[in-house]
Amino acid sequence: MTSKEHEGRLGEEFFTPGSSSFTEFLAAHRPDLLPMRRPFPDGVRAAPDRFPHGTTVLALTYRDGVLIAGDRRATMGNLIAQRDLEKVHPADDHTAVAFAGTVGLALDMVKLYQVELKHFEKVEGVPMTLKAKASRLAGMIRQNLGQAMQGLAVVPLLAGYDVKAPESARGRIFDFEVTGGPYEKYDFHAEGSGSPYARGALKKLFRPGMSRHEAALAALHALYDAADDDSATGGPDIGRRIFPTVALITEDGFERLSEPETEELSHEMVEQRRHRPDGPNAAP
């Protein structure tokens, strides 16, 4: 067969039986396409001010499912690298992932994770369970450990609607650390440089059974508190009309709040802060 006849034909690797993991397929046949590779020789670390880093993301459960949100700022050292970064992405119909850490690696990891879930469903004929999705993402993070140890860490936050869980506990949140350990968090969680302040706000504002509106406002207040104390976290930029990303995952699937709705909620939150700069009181 001539080289021209080979053009456009799939290689033998596509017809060789293997696992349902697209990441494992790439590792076996095209490892150069994986974003999780050690980029520097041993002993070399990335300068912290040379690569954009994303900062604060959070998630909380509410009456209809789970909400996931993030600020829009990326920093390089003491510089603002980007003001409108998207840190919240749908992974599939009922799962979303947000990230803190090295932006370029994080975006590549999110894209690969989206393909990983779609590939599994096509091969197996059924969707992956939410716990299995967390395990797959943990494996991808573990493969990035070499780069994380050199200063290029990616720390995702996974939120999903688990149709197989009891009705009162279908909104679920998974946190990860750089070695790949997945940890389920209950009620709420936050990651990134502003996360201690965001978690402190959510500890005060969260309560079970919150409405969509209440949950979105609580998330915006938490991000506002994070931006108030952490220079790497961006608050709502009223002048540029850049507002945090807020998404919901319910029985109906993933829904990102529209820009007009997020803007209206942000103005409502800022107006509340005019009267109480330290934020609203905890619910009785």
Side-chain angles (χ1 to χ4, degrees):
M1 186 175 289
T2 67
S3 59
K4 286 188 176 181
E5 290 175 314
H6 274 293
E7 291 179 3
R9 295 175 64 89
L10 296 175
E12 291 183 4
E13 63 269 19
F14 289 93
F15 301 98
T16 304
S19 77
S20 55
S21 171
F22 184 73
T23 304
E24 291 179 8
F25 175 81
L26 282 184
H29 301 288
R30 289 296 303 277
D32 56 299
L33 295 179
L34 288 171
M36 299 84 71
R37 299 190 305 274
R38 177 171 290 187
F40 307 122
D42 289 341
V44 178
R45 285 184 58 83
D49 59 346
R50 297 297 298 274
F51 302 96
H53 277 69
T55 46
T56 309
V57 294
L58 59 84
L60 66 148
T61 60
Y62 75 109
R63 183 177 59 202
D64 300 323
V66 61
L67 177 149
I68 187 166
D71 81 310
R72 306 287 294 278
R73 179 174 292 178
T75 57
M76 289 194 302
N78 64 333
L79 300 177
I80 297 176
Q82 189 173 346
R83 300 179 188 275
D84 59 351
L85 177 65
E86 292 288 347
K87 302 175 187 176
V88 178
H89 302 268
D92 62 13
D93 289 343
H94 289 91
T95 318
V97 60
F99 66 84
T102 308
V103 172
L105 291 176
L107 290 174
D108 281 348
M109 189 180 292
V110 168
K111 292 174 185 176
L112 181 59
Y113 185 59
Q114 291 168 334
V115 175
E116 177 82 4
L117 299 188
K118 188 175 295 185
H119 182 265
F120 177 91
E121 188 168 348
K122 286 184 176 180
V123 171
E124 299 293 338
V126 293
M128 196 181 294
T129 66
L130 186 56
K131 189 172 182 179
K133 292 175 188 178
S135 296
R136 286 293 176 96
L137 184 54
M140 295 172 67
I141 298 166
R142 195 172 300 115
Q143 292 178 28
N144 191 56
L145 180 59
Q147 295 186 87
M149 298 303 290
Q150 293 179 314
L152 299 175
V154 175
V155 184
L157 187 61
L158 183 71
Y161 185 86
D162 190 348
V163 296
K164 296 184 178 180
E167 188 172 352
S168 60
R170 291 185 175 176
R172 300 176 69 185
I173 302 166
F174 291 87
D175 176 43
F176 305 84
E177 33 92 1
V178 293
T179 64
Y183 306 96
E184 184 163 5
K185 302 295 183 177
Y186 299 96
D187 298 334
F188 59 85
H189 192 65
E191 273 297 344
S193 61
S195 60
Y197 314 108
R199 285 198 297 269
L202 290 174
K203 187 179 293 186
K204 176 177 69 172
L205 297 174
F206 177 84
R207 70 177 190 277
M210 298 172 76
S211 68
R212 166 189 170 122
H213 182 84
E214 291 169 334
L217 267 183
L220 291 174
H221 274 292
L223 290 172
Y224 189 98
D225 278 349
D228 198 34
D229 287 296
D230 173 46
S231 62
T233 302
D237 191 332
I238 304 296
R240 295 184 178 89
R241 300 184 67 186
I242 299 173
F243 304 98
T245 302
V246 180
L248 310 170
I249 312 167
T250 66
E251 185 177 10
D252 296 327
F254 176 91
E255 176 197 358
R256 173 179 164 159
L257 297 192
S258 66
E259 288 290 337
E261 184 173 2
T262 308
E263 181 175 0
E264 183 178 347
L265 285 165
S266 296
H267 279 287
E268 181 179 349
M269 182 269 298
V270 170
E271 186 59 31
Q272 291 178 4
R273 291 285 177 148
R274 294 185 193 279
H275 304 288
R276 285 196 62 90
D278 56 344
N281 290 326

